[in-house]
Amino acid sequence: MANIDELTAAQVAAGVAAGDFSAVEVAKASLDAISKRDGEVQAFLQVSADLALAAAEKTDQRRAAGEKLGPLAGVPVAFKDNMHLLGTRTTCASKMLANYESEFTATCVQRMLDAGATPMGKANMDEFAFGSSTESSAFHRTNNPWDTERVPGGSSGGSAAAVAAGEVTVALGSDTGGSIRQPASLCGVVGMKPTYGAVSRYGVVAFGSSLDQVGPFGRNVADVALAMNALTGAGRDPYDSTSQDCPVDFLEHLEDPVEGRRVGVVPQLMEAEGLTPEMRRAIEGACRMLTDQGAELVEVELPNIASAIAAYYVIAPCEAFSNLARFDGVRYGYQEPGCATLAEQSSLSRAHGFGEEAKRRQMLGAYLLSSGVYDKYYYPAQQVRTLITNDYKRAYEKCDVIVLPASPRTAFRFGEISDPTQMYASDLFTISNNIAGNDWASRVRAAPGTGLQGPEPAHLRPCRRARRRRHHARARLCREGG
Ligand code: GLN
């Protein structure tokens, strides 16, 4: 068979179904690529060779028995290490969960397996998905396969690097504020953060429950579409109350021309401080490519987007603090030995089980949710969230898609960004999408031709006093929280 990094997911599945090569051969080729390249790249925290070979054998047996194979038959897939897979540890790249054995398999992982995928292992990440460079993993860094002195992005850096290095064909990551799109961009692969609720998060360790979303990485758009169909095809997951039916065939329109499509550009963001000239040139080049093929560029405004980072770094730490409160050194996770009291055990387990960034986020969340402070930050941040959501709704009335960079710069060197707030600032282009959620149902309501478009109904429009209140809240947030 051809080198595994030369085959797309569709080609692997077709080859396995046709008997050109077996799923076991593909799994072995992937294991081989991992053992040759991962010493340098370090994308994996755990390689599940036994699980992979057993799954591949099962796929081959099903073929031999004349059964119809799934659309990802034999495709080697890596999973971010915040996703449960029975038979592997789920560590979230944290000392806190270093020995945690998955108790069950996450729905997103199961759906990939149901489609025939071969599970190659668990990919490195920033600890509990806090970060943009995978440098906060408690175990080791992951190197960008294109230049090992540079970061692969994060927090799903291991997933992106494993695909870019040709160790696997597809990988899953999670995106709370950019953690699929940014590492995909920094590693030169395709990554998709689906609409909030499109993919089940049951069995994925939560970071920010109102923001988290699972999505795939691939070496091309078609592979990502194939994986999206596998993730959403079976409909909403009853185990995740936030999941929705996603009535889209992601492969259906892949070949459609872009002619006549309205592509939204946000001039205000293209002028944003920190966007490097090379990134700006790349975006402009992409826009030119689209217009050359007949797409129309439309300028759209996202007037409140400048407040997105401030709002995110209030909402996300608050949710993270609530979600990570369960790691108390009593029920599961790291337990400090030799403590005299329960309080000491809990506090020392957390002090020694979490890394620096995980502690910073939780301390921030604890402070922001404390009485007296809550009203000043959390509440206005939620108001800003509504404003940003409405900005997107209005923008999508004027265009079909919006073009934004995933990152202000290309892959940076290890240690180059040591100030956390500078790292946070680099999320400018991605986090507003998580904040807005771009909820499928509201998009359908606003879709052209439904007759449900137009200005906000008068009874939903804020009165003058409410508008003034929002304005002051926003200004305060920018002053104090930004
Ligand atoms: N960089 C963002 C953060 O650190 C996003 C992380 C993510 O999407 N998981 O919060």
Side-chain angles (χ1 to χ4, degrees), residues 374-392:
Y374 172 91
D375 287 351
K376 237 168 102 186
Y377 295 103
Y378 187 74
Y379 188 54
Q382 292 293 7
Q383 289 177 314
V384 168
R385 182 172 202 169
T386 305
L387 294 176
I388 292 173
T389 307
N390 289 339
D391 281 355
Y392 271 101

Side-chain angles (χ1 to χ4, degrees), residues 80 129-132 155 174-179 207 312-313 361 427:
K80 185 174 182 176
F130 304 135
S132 310
S155 64
S174 64
D175 189 313
T176 306
S179 282
F207 162 2
Y312 174 89
Y313 279 98
R361 302 282 176 123
D427 295 331

